[in-house]
Amino acid sequence: MANLASNFIGIKSPNPFWLASAPPTDKEYNVRRAFEAGWGGVVWKTLGEEGPPIVNVNGPRYGAIWGADRRVLGLNNIELITDRPLQVNLDEMTRVKQDWPDRALIASLMVPVNEDSWKMILDRVAETGCDGVELNFGCPHGMSERGMGSAVGQVPEYIQQITEWCKKHSGLPVIVKLTPNVTDIRKPAQAAKDGGADAVSLINTINSITSVDLDLFAPEPTIDGKGAHGGYCGPAVKPIALNMVAEIARTPSLAGLPISGIGGVTTWRDAAEFMALGAGNVQVCTAAMTYGFKIVQEMISGLSQFMDEKGFDCVDQLVGRAVPNLCDWQHLNLNYVTKARIDQDACIKCGRCYAACEDTSHQAISMSDARVFEVIDAECVACNLCVNVCPVEDCITMEQLAPGTVDPRTGQVVTADYANWTTHPNNPGSCAAE
């Protein structure tokens, strides 16, 4: 089997699967169960300074978006950082690390923008023997209204300043957790790097309202007739997270900045995609909350089998392999031509492809009286919509036209020539486009 051992910024764990800072990592009992199930590491639920107690709501804390089969696609939460006393958490972290020295244990921290507050909590956290700290600059609700969480993560100057404080007052590796509630993720990432961060983790939850109770006319989850915006996570946010991870990984000024990928990781394939786009490891929350801690066993076995099939000896050989193939739109090859193909033996004659193409696309699929559906090559622009709406996997596929053949839609000979793309009239960067 492939070696899944992870060495992320000097923090070693038996595999790259960590639990993210969230309810599953709020206490010793949970974390021990997680390690027994096989998780490589945990980021302890965010700790705050001693002072006025954190008080969570006593009503519903989660809202959800479901698929047609009631599979959870996204969770919205309005829970705050840990409401358990700081010293209780620190004592539990100490015991867990002593009993599980081979697992990564990271302390997530959130205190006001005050150097003394950060120094105090860093000094106390270091005594637990934990492997590093993660600065929570991402939480979009509750704490952000108090000048913490995403209120910090949206201001690069604050990110850099606090990161500098943490590097000054602690010898532990510092991971900066970034909020997705920004227009350009590269700016806060650059601030973290400029402040001396050892790594960044992303994405934290997306500011959201998942639904409205149309009897109470209040956002859900509803607390005594009122609701608040919360943080959205789960499989639905994965595309956003992948893009933000990739933007950091492919930006030259951020080259070499390690990334811990977060956002909708549910399967080994999700993890592999994050790692291929530059993440050194992944953090998981919603999948564990939906299916329990043992889901990591499927992630471990799946990733191991995939790496064996690809001939990878270690996870580092996977990290970043897709980054060179990510480009801006104007660098895509317009000489690459494909057409949809329907496998008549696999077709169940539902007509989804025909309805979607006829009503909303290019009228490139015909339907006979016997409900046989066929692609009209002269009209097919290879948009892939039919593939995506077909309920039968691999029934409709895209076939590349070989160089030298004639595209029936345009009448032009398909060519493999890529050299002339820089002067193509559809290239926004070319003189012809002007």
Side-chain angles (χ1 to χ4, degrees):
M1 294 180 64
N3 181 11
L4 296 188
S6 172
N7 187 344
F8 183 74
I9 61 172
I11 301 172
K12 296 181 180 181
S13 56
N15 61 65
F17 300 107
W18 293 3
L19 282 172
S21 170
T25 63
D26 190 31
K27 61 174 75 74
E28 179 178 2
Y29 176 83
N30 300 63
V31 173
R32 287 185 181 276
R33 284 181 57 84
F35 285 161
E36 290 166 0
W39 290 91
V42 303
V43 183
W44 204 276
K45 185 170 170 65
T46 304
L47 310 176
E49 65 180 350
E50 289 182 322
I54 298 294
V55 180
N56 273 294
V57 297
N58 291 310
R61 298 182 184 182
Y62 307 118
I65 297 293
W66 298 278
D69 58 356
R70 202 167 166 80
R71 182 171 67 94
V72 173
L73 301 180
L75 282 181
N76 167 287
N77 87 91
I78 58 171
E79 185 166 305
L80 304 180
I81 65 175
T82 182
D83 53 13
R84 304 166 67 239
L86 175 61
Q87 191 59 50
V88 170
N89 279 291
L90 297 176
D91 291 342
E92 292 181 358
M93 291 169 63
T94 302
R95 291 193 294 268
V96 170
K97 186 59 186 177
Q98 288 174 346
D99 292 345
W100 295 89
D102 68 324
R103 307 301 171 95
L105 195 155
I106 311 299
S108 175
L109 307 177
M110 182 192 294
V111 296
V113 185
N114 176 282
E115 184 173 1
D116 289 339
S117 296
W118 283 98
K119 182 181 185 304
M120 179 278 296
I121 199 166
L122 286 165
D123 289 342
R124 296 182 65 178
V125 163
E127 296 174 356
T128 67
C130 68
D131 299 292
V133 295
E134 183 180 80
L135 315 185
N136 185 344
F137 297 155
C139 184
H141 59 275
M143 305 309 294
S144 58
E145 289 93 317
R146 308 180 194 192
M148 293 179 277
S150 64
V152 172
Q154 292 169 335
V155 184
E157 293 80 5
Y158 291 168
I159 294 174
Q160 181 173 344
Q161 179 68 82
I162 297 174
T163 304
E164 290 175 350
W165 291 340
C166 292
K167 292 299 295 181
K168 173 183 175 182
H169 295 297
S170 175
L172 292 170
V174 174
I175 304 169
V176 174
K177 190 172 188 179
L178 302 177
T179 177
N181 301 297
V182 294
T183 55
D184 187 347
I185 196 64
R186 295 171 297 181
K187 293 181 180 179
Q190 187 66 58
K193 183 178 182 182
D194 292 343
D198 297 281
V200 292
S201 60
L202 68 154
I203 59 173
N204 207 314
T205 53
I206 300 172
N207 212 358
S208 65
I209 295 174
T210 50
S211 58
V212 175
D213 186 316
L214 292 179
D215 291 318
L216 297 176
F217 292 105
E220 296 178 314
T222 304
I223 306 296
D224 194 23
K226 294 188 180 297
H229 64 90
Y232 194 51
C233 58
V237 311
K238 176 189 162 189
I240 299 168
L242 284 176
N243 177 64
M244 289 189 169
V245 165
E247 282 298 292
I248 293 174
R250 75 183 184 117
T251 299
S253 66
L254 295 170
L257 180 63
I259 302 168
S260 183
I262 312 171
V265 176
T266 306
T267 68
W268 70 264
R269 182 178 292 274
D270 297 329
E273 291 175 6
F274 270 94
M275 297 177 77
L277 284 174
N281 71 1
V282 294
Q283 297 184 33
V284 180
C285 172
T286 305
M289 294 179 71
T290 305
Y291 303 108
F293 285 151
K294 289 186 178 180
I295 191 174
V296 73
Q297 296 170 9
E298 297 179 12
M299 296 179 181
I300 291 171
S301 61
L303 183 62
S304 179
Q305 181 177 339
F306 168 76
M307 291 176 58
D308 285 341
E309 292 171 352
K310 293 295 183 182
F312 297 155
D313 297 321
C314 62
V315 292
D316 289 344
Q317 294 176 346
L318 170 59
V319 176
R321 290 185 77 94
V323 175
N325 294 324
L326 176 64
C327 67
D328 292 332
W329 189 95
Q330 63 264 31
H331 299 302
L332 296 175
N333 184 6
L334 296 194
N335 295 316
Y336 179 85
V337 181
T338 61
K339 300 293 179 183
R341 295 289 178 259
I342 301 175
D343 182 344
Q344 298 299 336
D345 293 332
C347 179
I348 61 174
K349 304 184 186 304
C350 68
R352 283 194 194 177
C353 62
Y354 173 78
C357 189
E358 189 71 13
D359 289 351
T360 70
S361 195
H362 293 83
Q363 298 77 52
I365 296 178
S366 65
M367 179 178 67
S368 71
D369 293 339
R371 292 186 67 82
V372 174
F373 301 93
E374 296 182 319
V375 176
I376 306 170
D377 281 0
E379 303 297 336
C380 179
V381 301
C383 71
N384 207 41
L385 177 62
C386 56
V387 176
N388 291 325
V389 301
C390 178
V392 181
E393 187 174 4
D394 294 329
C395 174
I396 307 179
T397 55
M398 304 304 295
E399 178 182 287
Q400 181 183 358
L401 296 190
T405 60
V406 176
D407 182 348
R409 188 177 74 87
T410 64
Q412 297 179 345
V413 176
V414 176
T415 174
D417 180 20
Y418 183 70
N420 294 326
W421 169 228
T422 55
T423 57
H424 193 286
N426 285 349
N427 180 358
S430 71
C431 296
E434 298 174 0

